[in-house]
Each structure stands twice: as structure tokens, then as C-alpha cells.
Amino acid sequence: MEKETIALHGGYDKKSGFGSMSVPIEQTTAYAFRDAEHAANLFSLKELGPIYTRLTNPTTDVLEKRFAEIEGGASAIAVASGQSAIFYAIANLAEAGDNIIISNKLYGGAVTLLAHTIKRFGIKAKIFDCENVDNLESQIDDKTKAIFFESLSNPQIVVSDVDKIVSIAKKHGVVTVCDNTVATAALFNPISWGVDIVVHSLSKYTDGQGRAIGGIVVERDGLNEFFSSSPRYTHFSMPDESYHGLVYTSLPLPCFCLRIRLALLRDIGACISPFNAWLLINGLETLDLRVEKHSQNALEVAKFLEAHPKVKSVNYPALKSSSQNNRVEKYFKNGSASGLLSFDVGTYEEAKHIIDSVKLFSVVVNIGDSKSLITHPASTTHSQIPSDELVKSGINPATIRLSIGLENPKDLIADLTQAFN
Ligand SMILES: *Cc1c(COP(=O)(O)O)cnc(C)c1O
């Protein structure tokens, strides 16, 4: 089936329960077992079924099945947030003494998590250039457990060279983890380009209306075979002492998400609430339609900005004039690039003036909402960074970032026009 259809029907049997058309919300902490044997079977995985909502929940299960199918994966696990999805994916691969190689263009929360917080767990991050991947291969060693990058990066709005990253990773048997939040599952599916693990913040375009935090990890098919013969990741094919000697790769279930569920989610517990899972299922149903409209609107606003005399430069990869346009055309559906764009005006003061003058845009540090958002990174998210370092990280003091929503683009352009004056 096609993605739009899966988004509406995948993972849910309407004939179950009362036949509710909307996926029911199973708002419960725990489940009653039929008897002692049933309980024992569930714990030993002889039978699959809900035990406790930290581990599984039937509403969350629909989200996971649906999302895995849309991303073309074998299995998915939904968790509390995008941040926890990234943490689980990395913690499932690396341990103290290992290293990971991360893109130079990442979400700020991913940078602090991967370069700073997990360093305290003994996992070191090295950095590669996601556009020009020359410095990737030379950094891989025996202890390298993951290559992490964003398909379309937030906030730099850069499209990674996925093909090259994947081919280098495959040559060395290193797992690739791609954060596909901004590109969305509607425009790009990393697994079909050879990526092993996909993570998302569902809080952005999947929810689409700024209502719920959630994250998801998706694995490609065939990882059980890969891990069984890989010397790098023996913890998947060796007995897990914490789970009475379970060998993950020996089960007829996709082992990557299974290990996150049985070991990491059990122990760390950043699970998603059934209510948020339900909101995200509803968001997913209209993802395709919304992302198409976000992309059309953003392209119109980008063209307007490109022609405006007070704008020095516009960064929107779907613009034909963008140096990244060839990668957008290669990877993303219809050459669309979702709703994130940025532009530079002359000075810090001019940028601040525009932020203070817009009426329709909300000054919010979020993306992917149905309502248009505006931020000035230099005075908000990046205000602690000295100005020379700002410029090095690609953030100009006069840069404004927009997350274009679903309003009529004429109104967005009118709002920006009056704000420039
Ligand atoms: C927002 C975001 C995250 C973090 O997700 P949360 O759901 O806020 O924890 C991770 N990666 C990217 C690209 C994001 O935009």
C-alpha cells in the first residue's frame, strides 16, 4: 500500500473491540493476566501481549506499527520524546569506551546529548561534515558504533549526502542512524536509501499542531542477520544476563527495537503516554497532505524573500538557486523541502525589528506547527554563544528562521512585508 493509505489504516484492526473508527486510547498503567501461566508466558516472550504501559500499550502499538510501515522499516518503538529516541538508539549500540561519529549539522539538543551528556557515560563523539563527507571514513575505528546525522538538519537546513554516508558505513559495518524529523516520513524514507536506524521527534510535523511530545525509533529489516555476524555489536548475539540469558538475534522479532524495549525502556523508562500516542496517530493520518502544503507555502515565502531588497540571502533547499537543490531533487519527494527556511537581513538590529513587528507569525522556538513561527537564533537559542563562534557554526547575528505553517501564504507574505518597514 501507499504511504497515504497506511497513515490512515496501518496497524489497526477496526473489527477489534467495539469497532471504534478512531483508534481507542488505552489509558491504563497495567493489564490483568488470565492466570499465573499467562503472566509467565508474557514475561518469557512465549506469548506477546501487554504487561505494563512502560513497556507496551495497545494504542502506542498502533502508532509503532503504522510508523514502521510508512518508513519502510521492520519494527518501531515509540518513546517519550525525540531526545529519548536519539538516546535509546545510541545507547543500544554503544557502551563506555566506544565512540560515535556525528554530523556537524545537528539539532542543538542532539549536540548537547551526543557530544556532552553521553561523554560522561564514556562514549565519545567525533564530528564529520555531512555535506562533504571526506573526513568521515578516516575517523572510523574498531570502537566506532554509530554514524549519526539528520537528513534535513534543524536549524541549519542542510541536506546530508545520504548515499555517500551509507556507502562508507556499509563498507566498515557501522550502523547508520538518521534523524528524519524535518524531512518527515512523507518526503523522505532513509531506510530505502540503505540507512539502518531512523529516529524522529514526533513532536514536530507528525503531531503537526504543537500538542504533544513524542519520539520514535525505526529499524530496517535484516538487522538480526547483520548483528549475528558482526564483530562490532556482539551484545545483540550474546546472552543478556539482565533478561535471563536472552539472545536478541535468535528471536523471530526485529532485535534492535526489541532490545530497546526489553532492556532500555524497562530500565530507563522514558515511555510515551497512551494519550500522546493517540494524538500522534491522528497527526500521522494527515502528515502527507500537510507536509505538501507546508512545502508549497514555504517555497512561496522563500521566493518572496529572495526578491526582497532588504534580504541578503535565503536558505531554502527547494529554491532552484540553492546550492543544495540537486540533493533535494535527488532525495525528497517532488523536490519538496518541508516548512523550515532561514534568511539574513543586514544587521542584528534589523533582525530584532522584524521579530518585534510581525503580527501573524508567533515568536516560538519550535518547528512543524500548523501555525507559522519565527525565531531569531542570535538573541534566543544561541544567545550564550560568542559572536565569532556563532558565525563559525553558520548562524549569522542577522539570521531569522521561519517555520512556515498552513496559513494562506498571501497573509504570511503580507505580514513579513509590513514587518520589513
Ligand atoms: C525537536 C527535535 C529533536 C528533539 O525532539 P523532542 O521531541 O523535542 O525531544 C530532535 N531532532 C530534531 C531534528 C528536532 O527538530
Side-chain angles (χ1 to χ4, degrees):
M1 267 193 284
E2 299 297 323
K3 280 195 276 190
E4 298 89 329
T5 314
I6 299 165
L8 292 161
H9 299 280
Y12 177 56
D13 178 6
K14 287 190 286 284
K15 299 199 179 69
S16 65
F18 293 104
S20 167
M21 282 299 287
S22 166
V23 174
I25 309 173
E26 294 271 349
Q27 191 65 49
T28 183
T29 306
Y31 289 82
F33 306 121
R34 288 192 301 273
D35 50 30
E37 195 192 346
H38 180 217
N41 284 348
L42 290 177
F43 274 90
S44 66
L45 306 175
K46 279 192 194 127
E47 226 179 293
L48 296 178
I51 298 173
Y52 192 66
T53 284
R54 168 150 40 81
L55 302 170
T56 59
N57 174 281
T59 306
T60 305
D61 191 52
V62 174
L63 174 64
E64 289 165 345
K65 290 208 167 91
R66 206 171 269 195
F67 210 96
E69 220 182 311
I70 290 174
E71 275 290 18
S75 178
I77 180 163
V79 294
S81 63
Q83 286 295 105
S84 56
I86 297 172
F87 176 75
Y88 285 131
I90 297 300
N92 208 25
L93 294 165
E95 63 182 9
D98 289 339
N99 65 72
I100 58 173
I101 311 181
I102 64 173
S103 163
N104 60 341
K105 302 274 165 35
L106 292 181
Y107 175 68
V111 175
T112 48
L113 169 61
L114 299 175
H116 299 281
T117 298
I118 66 164
K119 193 160 105 188
R120 295 175 56 87
F121 291 45
I123 301 165
K124 198 176 157 248
K126 308 179 206 180
I127 295 171
F128 78 101
D129 182 338
C130 68
E131 288 179 274
N132 177 356
V133 300
D134 289 350
N135 66 343
L136 174 58
E137 186 161 17
S138 60
Q139 299 197 73
I140 297 175
D141 62 31
D142 290 349
K143 293 284 185 192
T144 302
K145 296 298 167 77
I147 295 169
F148 182 89
F149 63 99
E150 292 176 14
S151 41
L152 178 56
S153 77
N154 171 19
Q156 305 87 351
I157 323 180
V158 161
V159 185
S160 290
D161 196 340
V162 183
D163 252 353
K164 283 211 184 117
I165 296 169
V166 166
S167 77
I168 292 169
K170 286 215 183 301
K171 184 172 157 198
H172 294 272
V174 178
V175 168
T176 42
V177 183
C178 175
D179 184 335
N180 198 31
T181 300
V182 184
T184 78
L187 295 184
F188 180 62
N189 300 109
I191 289 172
S192 67
W193 291 86
V195 167
D196 300 305
I197 305 295
V198 181
V199 295
H200 280 264
S201 166
L202 301 176
S203 327
K204 313 289 171 55
Y205 286 105
T206 302
D207 174 61
Q209 294 179 56
R211 303 165 301 183
I213 301 272
I216 204 159
V217 181
V218 187
E219 71 180 284
R220 74 164 168 88
D221 195 20
L223 282 179
N224 291 39
E225 293 75 22
F226 169 73
F227 286 132
S228 298
S229 61
S230 165
R232 248 181 232 281
Y233 305 97
T234 50
H235 54 289
F236 285 95
S237 54
M238 306 266 279
D240 181 351
E241 272 172 45
S242 83
Y243 211 101
H244 47 68
L246 185 75
V247 174
Y248 295 101
T249 49
S250 71
L251 296 172
L253 294 166
C255 67
F256 193 85
C257 291
L258 185 72
R259 187 175 183 275
I260 291 181
R261 193 182 303 283
L262 297 185
L264 298 177
L265 204 51
R266 174 195 64 188
D267 298 347
I268 294 161
C271 62
I272 192 168
S273 84
F275 184 70
N276 278 4
W278 178 79
L279 285 170
L280 293 164
I281 289 167
N282 287 300
L284 196 53
E285 291 192 353
T286 56
L287 178 72
D288 213 87
L289 206 58
R290 285 186 289 104
V291 172
E292 198 178 309
K293 183 69 177 155
H294 279 289
S295 304
Q296 284 168 5
N297 284 0
L299 186 59
E300 280 203 37
V301 172
K303 283 181 179 160
F304 156 77
L305 290 169
E306 210 176 23
H308 197 284
K310 287 194 179 158
V311 174
K312 302 277 178 257
S313 63
V314 181
N315 180 14
Y316 187 59
L319 279 174
K320 292 278 173 262
S321 58
S322 166
S323 61
Q324 307 193 67
N325 193 247
N326 56 345
R327 289 202 292 279
V328 168
E329 293 288 340
K330 173 173 174 183
Y331 293 118
F332 298 168
K333 183 180 163 193
N334 301 333
S336 295
S338 90
L340 205 59
L341 66 91
S342 68
F343 63 99
D344 288 359
V345 287
T347 62
Y348 180 92
E349 285 68 32
E350 264 182 83
K352 267 191 97 177
H353 170 77
I354 290 168
I355 301 273
D356 289 338
S357 309
V358 287
K359 297 192 170 78
L360 196 50
F361 282 85
S362 307
V363 188
V364 172
V365 283
N366 188 20
I367 60 164
D369 198 322
S370 48
K371 298 160 190 96
S372 288
L373 314 175
I374 188 166
T375 48
H376 180 210
S379 68
T380 56
T381 50
H382 294 68
S383 58
Q384 284 93 350
I385 303 175
S387 56
D388 55 328
E389 273 185 45
L390 256 190
V391 175
K392 251 189 250 163
S393 64
I395 312 266
N396 183 312
T399 298
I400 290 175
R401 194 187 75 187
L402 303 178
S403 169
I404 298 296
L406 302 176
E407 297 91 346
N408 189 306
K410 281 186 205 149
D411 293 321
L412 298 174
I413 289 169
D415 193 31
L416 290 169
T417 303
Q418 64 82 25
F420 273 112
N421 293 326

